[in-house]
Amino acid sequence: MDDRGGGSFVAVRRISSGLDRGNSYHSSSEVVAGSAAWLGRGLSCVCVQRGESDAHSSFDLTPAEEECLKRLQQRIDVAYDCSILEHQEALRALWDAAFPGEELSGLISEQWKEMGWQGKDPSTDFRGGGFISLENLLFFARNFQKSFQDLLRKQEGDRAMWEYPFAVAGVNITFMLIQMLDLEAVKPRTVVGATFLKFLAENESAFDLLYCITFKLMDHQWLAMHASYMDFN
């Protein structure tokens, strides 16, 4: 997943062919900066800034779109629970993907601050995004390793001395996308949300893929703004 400067939005190359295969994504897939925002043929011309003309009471969904939305909403409704083994294992897997070869001393550890969590217990930061925010981070780490590591370690661009906290930014992006796409509504009420659900019906990894792209976009904008930690909110 190579990153190229020179634009203010992000587009995906090779995603269209990935939709047809529908199951696996590797580091050969690319998220690139460009001058328009679109996701393959499924999510086309979707603007981050929504205008008043985008307002609509609701959009009708196909049965396939309804089912995909329902499954995504079920993911969104799952809160992170540190007592659930699956959640513990996912958190450990995120550490292993972020810092391969570096042993984690425990699920509560000062080491987590290296990834950009606010304290030594990441579970306290998941409240805004739920378990799906951890799934998003893990998807990014496993499928686009180079871009994930570049963002985690702030390896690209002219960086400030005090940077945004990587992991907390990831949780915020999950929350932002859920709100922007109106994913907790029974039916989408914007063109953006309706268009996204068409993409989701073609590939159920659509939300995870859009998350990765949005993270890259956020970092791209961060660099363009010459921002520092005080600008994070």
Side-chain angles (χ1 to χ4, degrees):
M1 186 159 78
D2 299 328
D3 309 313
R4 303 173 188 175
S8 60
F9 66 89
V10 178
V12 175
R13 188 149 65 97
R14 297 187 191 172
I15 290 298
S16 294
S17 58
L19 283 171
D20 298 329
R21 293 191 298 272
N23 47 20
S24 61
Y25 300 88
H26 305 287
S27 57
S28 60
S29 297
E30 296 174 359
V31 171
V32 296
S35 57
W38 48 274
L39 260 161
R41 56 188 172 82
L43 186 62
S44 59
C45 196
V46 175
C47 300
V48 173
Q49 293 182 341
R50 299 178 296 181
E52 292 182 4
S53 61
D54 193 29
H56 196 285
S57 57
S58 67
F59 290 80
D60 291 331
L61 302 177
T62 66
E65 291 167 355
E66 286 184 355
E67 185 61 30
C68 288
L69 175 59
K70 184 183 299 183
R71 285 196 290 269
L72 181 55
Q73 288 174 336
Q74 289 172 346
R75 290 180 63 193
I76 291 170
D77 288 341
V78 177
Y80 180 84
D81 188 339
C82 60
S83 68
I84 297 177
L85 182 59
E86 178 189 358
H87 294 195
Q88 296 175 15
E89 291 175 344
L91 191 55
R92 288 186 183 277
L94 178 62
W95 176 269
D96 291 340
F99 303 105
E102 184 175 340
E103 185 177 355
L104 177 66
S105 61
L107 293 180
I108 297 179
S109 169
E110 294 289 338
Q111 290 172 280
W112 287 110
K113 294 180 182 180
E114 298 175 33
M115 195 185 295
W117 299 103
Q118 295 185 84
K120 61 183 181 180
D121 183 3
S123 67
T124 62
D125 290 329
F126 285 121
R127 292 168 185 163
F131 183 59
I132 193 173
S133 61
L134 174 53
E135 291 180 315
N136 290 155
L137 281 166
L138 192 52
F139 180 93
F140 195 2
R142 286 174 168 170
N143 291 278
F144 304 109
Q145 298 173 12
K146 182 182 183 301
S147 286
F148 181 89
Q149 289 292 334
D150 287 347
L151 293 179
L152 171 64
R153 302 175 189 277
K154 309 295 193 299
Q155 292 181 334
E156 295 187 344
D158 184 14
R159 296 287 177 176
M161 181 175 295
W162 295 97
E163 280 284 322
Y164 64 84
F166 173 81
V168 173
V171 174
N172 287 349
I173 288 170
T174 297
F175 178 80
M176 180 202 72
L177 285 175
I178 292 170
Q179 300 302 308
M180 186 187 81
L181 299 173
D182 203 19
L183 293 177
E184 294 176 296
V186 175
K187 291 183 178 181
R189 292 171 289 192
T190 65
V191 173
V192 173
T195 306
F196 170 75
L197 290 180
K198 294 183 183 301
F199 186 38
L200 184 66
E202 294 192 27
N203 188 295
E204 288 204 51
S205 294
F207 186 76
D208 302 274
L209 288 166
L210 185 57
Y211 171 88
C212 300
I213 294 165
T214 305
F215 213 138
K216 288 289 296 180
L217 171 61
M218 186 278 292
D219 188 74
H220 183 78
Q221 293 293 92
W222 179 271
L223 289 173
M225 291 169 58
H226 303 288
S228 65
Y229 182 81
M230 297 302 293
D231 302 305
F232 179 60
N233 287 338

